[in-house]
Amino acid sequence: MSENISREIIERVEKLRRELTYHAERYYVYDSPEISDYDYDMMYAELKGLEEKYPELYSPSSPTQRVGGKVLDKFEKVTHSVRMDSLADVFSFEETEDFCHRIATEIKEPSYSVEPKIDGLSVSLIYEGGVLVRGATRGDGIVGEDVTQNVKTIFSIPLTLGEPLDLTVRGEVYMPRAVFEKINEKREAEGKALLANPRNAAAGSLRQLDSKICAERKLDIFVFNFQEGSLYLDGHAPVTHTETLDRLSELGFKVLPMRTVANSAEKIIEHIKRIGEARDGLAYDIDGVVVKLDKLEDRRTVGEGTNTPRWAVAYKFPPEEKETVLEDITVAVGRTGVLTPTAVLSPVRLAGTTVSRATLHNLDFIRGLGVKLGDTVVVRKAGDIIPEVVRTITEKRTGAEREFLMPERCPSCNELISYDADGEAAARCTNSACPAQLSRSIEHFASKGAMNIDGLGPQIVELLLNEGLISSAADLYSLEAEQIADLERMGEKSAQNLIRAIQNSKSAGLERLVYALGIRNIGEVAAASLAQRFGTLEALSKATVEELCEIDDIGQISALCVVDFFSHPTNIELCRRFTESGLVTEAVSKPAGDKFAGLTFVLTGTLPTMSRDEASAMIKAMGGKVSGSVSSKTSYVVAGEAAGSKLTKAQSLGVKIISEEVLLDMMK
């Protein structure tokens, strides 16, 4: 320590750190602040100033280290010393009773801890000598990612424990509902895509390579398990799970609320019902209730299964359904001309978000529901993500309800609509100059899976169209920064960034370009197959239906759509302009080998060390295919953390499920 730092300065820094840690704990953990925000901010500013003036006083556990550190290139792998297993799910009270009956055959007079299942992202926190040294995601339960910098930004995680203990705990990181709503309000104002739900938002935030972004997301955590180590300096070994949580609370952790100990299936079910009734009023999302043996010795007796502990289950709530009123039905025109009716609902809180709109697909769907304008309807979220109208409550009709009629003319261009001759229920505008189709086709062209033009969102596309700067996607490549710098929401720097992103997209390659063209029935997988088979845009444009149908991913209808697209003069001219603008119209990557030839993979959940896009690219490079849905033809499902319905379907079909680590081994 430098001799220039006085003992008074050192003591002042230590005192500020202690007081700030104490008051943060009172505020974030116990929701019982003792000082004003202003007083806290003044102490924080004083400490930060002293640490900047005397860098020798740096401490990784200082409260000032919660704002985020350096930007990482990637997350390092972490092998968990204690497996972070998932739990077996039960979906009914009968299954819950069956679990209790099984336990009762092995344990005399068992007691159970019954606690809410927080809908977030599981992490482990490792302390050495009472100091937080590592935070890691669950990953596949064996290997996760080092997210230490990010977990330090969560104020309810203690950086120091006050006692020099060596221990590891497990918790669930989540995004509070209020924070989620504010983020989506801001994103909506900026014209960005909305986050799907708080759970996905929390997972994405915790995996930010820039921890300052994570700090802005204001994540929180509940600690729900003591993994290993010592909870007491005198070596005392806790007897029950409840004792471990009580002790962790004493040490400053924010532990699970609403928990109880029950000794019968009846008491367990009673508490599950209580938690379910309280669900709507919570500040965070829960998706079930965890039931586990409370006595640690009983857990050791019952033991572990292959992938899940035998001493615990997770009761999953059924999809949440709510009643609301269908106030109106609006009709929007998509990029392929399809008219899609959307229900406008009285806002209702559902599965973590406020829902005010839900797709109604087409007129046949509306007739099948028997829904009328003004009806009371039941809504839910498919997969807890996509709002849908489930049924109509006809007994609540007053007589004021009205039938819905699809418009005879396109709401965007006023052209007469038509219905496809192939039996589709979709109404379609066939005017290729329709403004709504043009706007959405350019948005699709710029989207992540297509040309990936960062910054070209719906509002910017609308601005460019309204100002007459573009009339097709090809016009994007003749734009100059000076033309758009003065537009609303732009500016010189934003304009330069957008032009740079547009120019960078030229090298995206044929796979992305084919998908970006927006050919009907051609998704990302089919576009990749077309690019690999024909190699150039010119060759693809001359392909026959017979040649196209020889490709596994292309059927008769898709082949006709491709031929039809390249037969229109407008599309021929569009492709010519893309070529003249310097876009790469050849396949930029060939399979590096055929090791995965004939294999189809489905990716689900958050992978430990790479994004799903990266994993998908690696699979394709080995000659494999990546699908967005699970079927009996799926070869492997690669499952990461928080894998959802795809994992469940794979299990029901008997499809082989592997981890990222196994996938990487297969590539060697």
Side-chain angles (χ1 to χ4, degrees):
M1 188 69 65
S2 171
E3 294 181 1
N4 296 326
I5 305 177
S6 68
R7 171 51 55 186
E8 288 78 9
I9 293 295
I10 295 172
E11 290 177 351
R12 180 59 180 165
V13 167
E14 290 174 348
K15 182 180 181 183
L16 286 169
R17 287 173 178 167
R18 285 195 304 272
E19 291 191 1
L20 285 167
T21 298
Y22 171 79
H23 288 297
E25 182 181 322
R26 300 305 304 172
Y27 185 92
Y28 292 102
V29 178
Y30 299 111
D31 195 23
S32 179
E34 295 180 1
I35 61 173
S36 67
D37 289 351
Y38 176 81
D39 289 338
Y40 182 92
D41 291 342
M42 290 300 99
M43 281 197 291
Y44 184 93
E46 182 185 353
L47 175 60
K48 194 170 188 297
L50 288 171
E51 289 178 341
E52 289 174 351
K53 186 175 181 180
Y54 304 105
E56 302 96 320
L57 296 177
Y58 165 80
S59 169
S61 60
S62 172
T64 59
Q65 299 305 302
R66 292 189 182 275
V67 296
K70 65 180 180 180
V71 180
L72 302 176
D73 294 324
K74 64 176 183 177
F75 292 116
E76 298 296 331
K77 286 186 177 181
V78 174
T79 300
H80 302 300
S81 57
V82 176
R83 279 182 61 113
M84 296 178 69
D85 286 328
S86 56
L87 298 179
D89 293 333
V90 295
F91 299 94
S92 68
F93 292 146
E94 289 77 13
E95 289 181 274
T96 306
E97 291 172 339
D98 289 343
F99 164 74
C100 293
H101 292 154
R102 175 175 63 78
I103 293 294
T105 64
E106 302 181 61
I107 302 296
K108 187 178 180 180
E109 297 181 354
S111 59
Y112 304 88
S113 177
V114 188
E115 53 206 41
K117 184 176 181 294
I118 309 300
D119 194 9
L121 184 73
S122 200
V123 298
S124 69
L125 305 173
I126 302 172
Y127 291 79
E128 294 178 359
V131 177
L132 176 66
V133 295
R134 177 173 288 170
T137 62
R138 175 182 176 272
D140 61 7
I142 300 171
V143 178
E145 292 175 316
D146 188 332
V147 289
T148 306
Q149 286 191 181
N150 286 346
V151 298
K152 282 185 175 182
T153 69
I154 301 173
F155 275 76
S156 48
I157 293 178
L159 301 181
T160 57
L161 299 180
E163 296 183 31
L165 297 166
D166 296 335
L167 56 86
T168 301
V169 299
R170 181 173 173 179
E172 196 79 359
V173 172
Y174 65 94
M175 180 176 285
R177 288 174 173 174
V179 174
F180 174 80
E181 297 285 2
K182 286 181 180 178
I183 290 175
N184 263 353
E185 286 173 10
K186 183 180 178 183
R187 292 179 71 89
E188 186 172 23
E190 294 172 348
K192 296 180 179 178
L194 301 185
L195 302 176
N197 54 46
R199 191 249 165 259
N200 287 5
S205 300
L206 199 64
R207 298 188 75 252
Q208 291 286 337
L209 292 170
D210 185 350
S211 54
K212 289 184 179 178
I213 297 176
C214 184
E216 293 170 358
R217 300 290 177 86
K218 301 185 185 302
L219 300 178
D220 210 332
I221 189 172
F222 282 117
V223 170
F224 65 84
N225 206 59
F226 168 61
Q227 297 289 88
E228 65 175 344
S230 300
L231 282 173
Y232 302 90
L233 289 176
D234 62 6
H236 167 70
V239 175
T240 65
H241 169 69
T242 298
E243 181 187 348
T244 66
L245 291 185
D246 290 343
R247 174 58 176 158
L248 289 172
S249 178
E250 291 175 2
L251 291 171
F253 290 100
K254 188 172 182 179
V255 300
L256 279 171
M258 298 176 63
R259 53 192 167 90
T260 192
V261 176
N263 56 15
S264 68
E266 292 75 20
K267 294 293 184 184
I268 289 170
I269 291 169
E270 282 179 17
H271 197 60
I272 289 174
K273 290 178 178 178
R274 279 196 291 271
I275 292 175
E277 290 167 359
R279 186 180 180 189
D280 278 354
L282 300 176
Y284 45 85
D285 282 356
I286 60 175
D287 60 353
V289 177
V290 176
V291 181
K292 48 194 173 186
L293 281 170
D294 193 39
K295 292 179 182 177
L296 304 182
E297 181 59 35
D298 288 349
R299 295 184 181 184
R300 288 188 283 269
T301 299
V302 173
E304 307 285 328
T306 305
N307 297 309
T308 59
R310 297 181 65 250
W311 43 262
V313 291
Y315 172 87
K316 301 299 288 288
F317 290 127
E320 187 180 11
E321 296 185 348
K322 292 284 185 68
E323 289 185 14
T324 187
V325 175
L326 189 147
E327 298 178 344
D328 196 5
I329 296 177
T330 61
V331 178
V333 185
R335 62 181 174 83
T336 61
V338 173
L339 274 64
T340 303
T342 298
V344 179
L345 308 166
S346 297
V348 61
R349 186 82 187 179
L350 189 65
T353 60
T354 299
V355 171
S356 58
R357 303 176 74 82
T359 180
L360 291 170
H361 303 292
N362 52 51
L363 190 57
D364 281 0
F365 184 82
I366 293 172
R367 288 170 176 164
L369 283 173
V371 70
K372 296 182 179 182
L373 300 174
D375 265 339
T376 298
V377 295
V378 174
V379 293
R380 71 181 178 200
K381 280 190 178 180
D384 278 346
I385 295 177
I386 303 170
E388 62 179 0
V389 178
V390 180
R391 60 184 178 277
T392 305
I393 305 178
T394 55
E395 56 267 29
K396 289 195 174 184
R397 284 180 174 165
T398 63
E401 295 78 17
R402 308 181 315 281
E403 293 285 345
F404 168 75
L405 300 174
M406 282 289 284
E408 295 181 353
R409 292 183 176 273
C410 172
S412 177
C413 68
N414 206 39
E415 288 287 322
L416 284 169
I417 66 169
S418 63
Y419 289 86
D420 292 344
D422 57 11
E424 286 187 17
R428 190 181 302 276
C429 171
T430 57
N431 176 17
S432 60
C434 175
Q437 292 182 59
L438 178 59
S439 175
R440 285 168 178 79
S441 68
I442 295 175
E443 290 169 24
H444 170 75
F445 183 86
S447 65
K448 185 178 179 181
M451 302 305 281
N452 194 23
I453 303 176
D454 189 36
L456 191 60
Q459 293 187 350
I460 301 301
V461 170
E462 206 67 40
L463 276 173
L464 295 174
L465 288 169
N466 291 341
E467 293 294 325
L469 295 175
I470 60 172
S471 58
S472 75
D475 292 331
L476 294 169
Y477 295 97
S478 58
L479 285 174
E480 296 180 359
E482 293 76 16
Q483 293 177 282
I484 58 178
D486 293 333
L487 296 179
E488 186 182 356
R489 300 187 190 90
M490 293 302 290
E492 187 175 336
K493 186 173 182 180
S494 296
Q496 290 173 349
N497 290 340
L498 178 56
I499 296 301
R500 186 181 302 111
I502 291 171
Q503 294 302 311
N504 289 342
S505 74
K506 289 181 177 181
S507 60
L510 185 60
E511 273 188 26
R512 286 178 173 270
L513 179 57
V514 172
Y515 176 59
L517 292 174
I519 304 170
R520 282 181 62 196
N521 295 309
I522 300 299
E524 290 182 72
V525 173
S529 297
L530 291 171
Q532 286 184 17
R533 166 63 176 80
F534 293 99
T536 68
L537 184 62
E538 183 180 5
L540 174 61
S541 69
K542 296 176 181 178
T544 65
V545 171
E546 292 73 20
E547 289 173 326
L548 291 162
C549 285
E550 290 175 0
I551 303 171
D552 287 344
D553 294 314
I554 306 297
Q556 181 78 15
I557 293 175
S558 297
L560 288 168
C561 288
V562 173
V563 171
D564 183 60
F565 179 89
F566 286 110
S567 67
H568 281 278
T570 301
N571 297 331
I572 295 170
E573 173 64 13
L574 184 70
C575 292
R576 184 191 66 78
R577 291 187 61 195
F578 284 146
T579 303
E580 287 187 352
S581 296
L583 272 69
V584 174
T585 56
E586 299 175 348
V588 295
S589 61
K590 299 283 185 182
D594 58 359
K595 194 164 190 175
F596 289 168
L599 299 179
T600 300
F601 294 78
V602 172
L603 306 170
T604 181
T606 303
L607 302 180
T609 65
M610 57 180 156
S611 69
R612 284 194 275 186
D613 285 344
E614 291 169 336
S616 178
M618 292 172 70
I619 290 168
K620 291 175 183 177
M622 303 293 285
K625 296 178 182 177
V626 179
S627 175
S629 59
V630 179
S631 72
S632 58
K633 295 182 180 180
T634 303
S635 308
Y636 297 96
V637 168
V638 184
E641 179 158 10
S645 58
K646 292 177 185 177
L647 177 61
T648 304
K649 187 171 182 180
Q651 291 168 334
S652 67
L653 293 174
V655 175
K656 188 165 185 179
I657 300 163
I658 61 173
S659 65
E660 178 198 284
E661 187 175 26
V662 172
L663 174 66
L664 293 173
D665 285 341
M666 291 170 64
M667 292 179 176
K668 293 177 182 176

